[in-house]
Amino acid sequence: MSYADSQVFWQLVLLGTCLCLLSAALGAWLMHHRRRKLCRQLETEIQRLSLQLEHEKTRIAEKAEGIEEVRRQLEQTFLNLSNQALQSNNENFLRLAREKLSQYQIQAEASLEKKEKAIETLLHPITETLKQTESQIQAIEKERKEAYGSLTQHLKLISESQTDLRAETQNLVHALRRPEVRGQWGELTLKRIAELAGMVNHCDFYEQQTGSDEDSRMRPDMIVRMPDQRELIVDAKTPLDAYLNAAQTRDDKARAESLHKHARNVRERMRELASKAYWNQFKHSPDFVVLFIPGEQFLLAALEHDPQLLEDALKNKVILATPTSIIALLRAVAFGWRQQSVAKNAEKIRELGEALYQRLATFATHLQKLGKSLDASVEQFNKATGSLDRQVLPAAKRFDELGIEKKKDMPDLKMIESSTRTGDKTGHA
């Protein structure tokens, strides 16, 4: 390219650039002009709408004032009309009320008369019932008086029975104050307890047996024979004088003194029994003796005022016993007799067991033979059943095919699979 051509090219480029810039500026000016024109149109429209809004507000305010004026007029009109209607209605209501009230008064008087008659009719049965109730109450009052008299008589009889019971109690207390009566009571109680424990009179115990030593003859109340020719000495003591005095007195101090005396009396009886030393006269007796007191309360009262009494009795080879404890002791002795009886009959039991075992073995042998016979019978039954099922029944079933009507179905015969149990090598079935 030559220099001249180069100059022309660059001039053209410059001219194109200027044209582009000029067209851009022109477009921007046109855009700005359009915006300004649009803004002026919008301002004009806004002013026009503002004037129209103010006009509408003024017109609406005028309409509202007119409506308020009409509302006030209507309200006054309605008020006047309501006052007139209310006054007229009040007069009509009072007139109608007077007429209705007079009618209701007449009807009420007539209804009241009817109700009075109806109430009289209703009250008549009640009046009759009240009269009957009054007569029944009078009859009940009469019966109550008679029953009260009868109750009084029963109370009188109870009082007399109580007096008799008190007298009998006093007689019993007086009787118990006698030593021989107390002794018989203690011995009888001891005998009844021994019988209750299963100690038969002629076999297991003795009453009032007599032993002797070099100086005196000893007489215990009961000797209980135990297994292996042993003997248990029991002596009944009933020191009850002081206890009865304590039960009869109401003075606490006198009662306490009587109970202390009762405890001393029990201790004296214990020492007296220990001094007899029954185990020296009865060679098969253990080195102790049983002191029987026929009442739990007697021993408890003594122990309460003499706590050392039980320990001192054991030291003196005396066992203090009451009905509860001695019946347990006698039961134990009876159990020992039963055990000795079992031991004595042990040889007979052994012989009887051997004979019974031999008889059971013989019976088992017979039973085993019977089982073998049953097994043979079962085998023959199974063979007969198989023959019937294979050879007879198929031919019999053909009768149905030939047109013979059967009246009864042929039952299905099953073979027996179970067998009897055989004995093992030890001979047990």
Side-chain angles (χ1 to χ4, degrees):
M1 182 181 291
S2 65
Y3 178 76
D5 294 334
S6 175
Q7 289 292 328
V8 172
F9 174 75
W10 286 111
Q11 287 177 0
L12 291 174
V13 171
L14 180 61
L15 180 59
T17 302
C18 290
L19 288 174
C20 289
L21 292 174
L22 182 61
S23 62
L26 181 61
W29 180 82
L30 289 174
M31 183 67 68
H32 179 67
H33 179 72
R34 289 178 180 176
R35 286 182 179 179
R36 288 182 64 183
K37 186 178 179 181
L38 182 62
C39 288
R40 284 195 299 269
Q41 291 177 357
L42 290 174
E43 289 177 356
T44 302
E45 185 67 20
I46 289 172
Q47 290 177 359
R48 187 182 67 79
L49 292 175
S50 298
L51 291 174
Q52 187 178 358
L53 178 62
E54 291 294 333
H55 179 70
E56 291 295 331
K57 286 182 178 180
T58 303
R59 190 176 63 178
I60 290 171
E62 291 176 356
K63 288 183 178 180
E65 290 178 358
I67 291 172
E68 182 65 22
E69 182 66 23
V70 172
R71 187 188 65 77
R72 285 195 297 267
Q73 291 176 2
L74 289 175
E75 183 178 358
Q76 185 65 31
T77 301
F78 285 144
L79 180 63
N80 293 332
L81 291 174
S82 63
N83 289 332
Q84 293 176 3
L86 179 63
Q87 184 176 4
S88 177
N89 290 333
N90 287 337
E91 292 176 356
N92 293 331
F93 175 75
L94 290 174
R95 181 175 57 78
L96 293 173
R98 291 191 188 95
E99 293 177 357
K100 293 292 182 181
L101 184 62
S102 60
Q103 293 177 2
Y104 286 146
Q105 186 174 5
I106 295 172
Q107 293 177 359
E109 290 177 354
S111 177
L112 181 61
E113 292 178 357
K114 293 180 180 179
K115 289 182 178 180
E116 287 179 351
K117 293 181 180 179
I119 290 172
E120 289 179 357
T121 305
L122 291 174
L123 290 177
H124 181 70
I126 298 175
T127 305
E128 295 296 329
T129 303
L130 289 176
K131 291 180 180 179
Q132 295 177 2
T133 304
E134 184 178 2
S135 61
Q136 291 177 358
I137 290 174
Q138 292 177 356
I140 291 172
E141 182 65 19
K142 182 179 179 181
E143 293 177 357
R144 187 190 66 81
K145 291 180 179 179
E146 294 177 355
Y148 181 76
S150 177
L151 180 61
T152 304
Q153 185 66 23
H154 283 298
L155 290 176
K156 183 177 180 181
L157 293 175
I158 292 173
S159 178
E160 293 176 355
S161 300
Q162 186 71 19
T163 303
D164 296 339
L165 179 61
R166 187 180 296 108
E168 293 295 331
T169 304
Q170 291 294 332
N171 294 332
L172 178 61
V173 170
H174 290 316
L176 289 176
R177 291 185 182 278
R178 298 171 56 185
E180 64 276 10
V181 176
R182 291 200 303 267
Q184 292 177 0
W185 175 54
E187 293 172 2
L188 182 62
T189 303
L190 186 60
K191 181 178 180 180
R192 293 292 178 264
I193 289 174
E195 293 175 351
L196 182 63
M199 303 294 286
V200 184
N201 187 18
H202 65 275
C203 180
D204 294 328
F205 67 95
Y206 296 104
E207 288 182 299
Q208 297 294 342
Q209 291 296 306
T210 302
S212 63
D213 60 4
E214 297 177 355
D215 300 327
S216 62
R217 294 175 60 83
M218 310 305 295
R219 186 181 178 86
D221 291 319
M222 186 172 69
I223 300 176
V224 180
R225 289 197 294 113
M226 297 187 297
D228 297 332
Q229 297 183 353
R230 297 294 181 179
E231 296 174 334
L232 181 63
I233 308 301
V234 181
D235 206 347
K237 300 295 182 182
T238 53
L240 301 181
D241 289 332
Y243 184 86
L244 294 175
N245 292 333
Q248 288 180 333
T249 184
R250 296 183 178 180
D251 187 3
D252 294 337
K253 184 177 179 180
R255 183 182 296 107
E257 292 178 355
S258 298
L259 291 176
H260 279 293
K261 184 177 179 181
H262 171 67
R264 288 195 302 269
N265 291 339
V266 175
R267 179 177 285 274
E268 290 176 1
R269 299 289 86 76
M270 181 270 292
R271 290 175 179 173
E272 177 183 347
L273 185 59
S275 64
K276 293 182 179 180
Y278 281 117
W279 50 87
N280 292 329
Q281 283 75 42
F282 297 90
K283 61 180 180 178
H284 298 297
S285 172
D287 59 346
F288 65 85
V289 65
V290 178
L291 172 58
F292 174 69
I293 299 176
E296 307 285 343
Q297 66 277 17
F298 306 141
L299 180 58
L300 289 177
L303 292 175
E304 183 178 357
H305 292 81
D306 189 0
Q308 194 67 23
L309 177 61
L310 186 61
E311 184 177 352
D312 292 343
L314 293 175
K315 290 179 180 179
N316 287 277
K317 301 180 179 180
V318 176
I319 296 178
L320 300 178
T322 59
T324 302
S325 57
I326 200 168
I327 195 171
L329 178 63
L330 294 177
R331 287 272 187 175
V333 174
F335 179 77
W337 276 111
R338 287 195 296 270
Q339 292 300 316
Q340 188 181 40
S341 178
V342 171
K344 184 183 296 184
N345 296 327
E347 183 63 24
K348 293 182 180 180
I349 294 173
R350 186 187 64 80
E351 294 175 357
L352 181 61
E354 290 179 354
L356 179 61
Y357 184 84
Q358 185 66 28
R359 293 172 183 174
L360 287 174
T362 303
F363 178 75
T365 301
H366 295 317
L367 193 62
Q368 186 177 20
K369 292 179 180 180
L370 177 61
K372 291 179 179 180
S373 300
L374 290 175
D375 288 337
S377 300
V378 169
E379 183 179 0
Q380 295 299 323
F381 175 80
N382 291 335
K383 289 179 179 180
T385 303
S387 176
L388 177 66
D389 188 41
R390 290 190 306 270
Q391 298 180 9
V392 180
L393 291 181
K397 291 179 180 179
R398 294 182 62 187
F399 285 106
D400 295 337
E401 300 174 358
L402 297 175
I404 295 179
E405 183 180 358
K406 59 181 181 180
K407 295 183 180 180
K408 187 175 182 182
D409 293 334
M410 185 71 67
D412 293 334
L413 296 177
K414 297 181 179 180
M415 294 186 179
I416 301 176
E417 298 178 357
S418 60
S419 60
T420 59
R421 296 176 58 185
T422 57
D424 54 15
K425 294 181 179 181
T426 59
H428 296 289

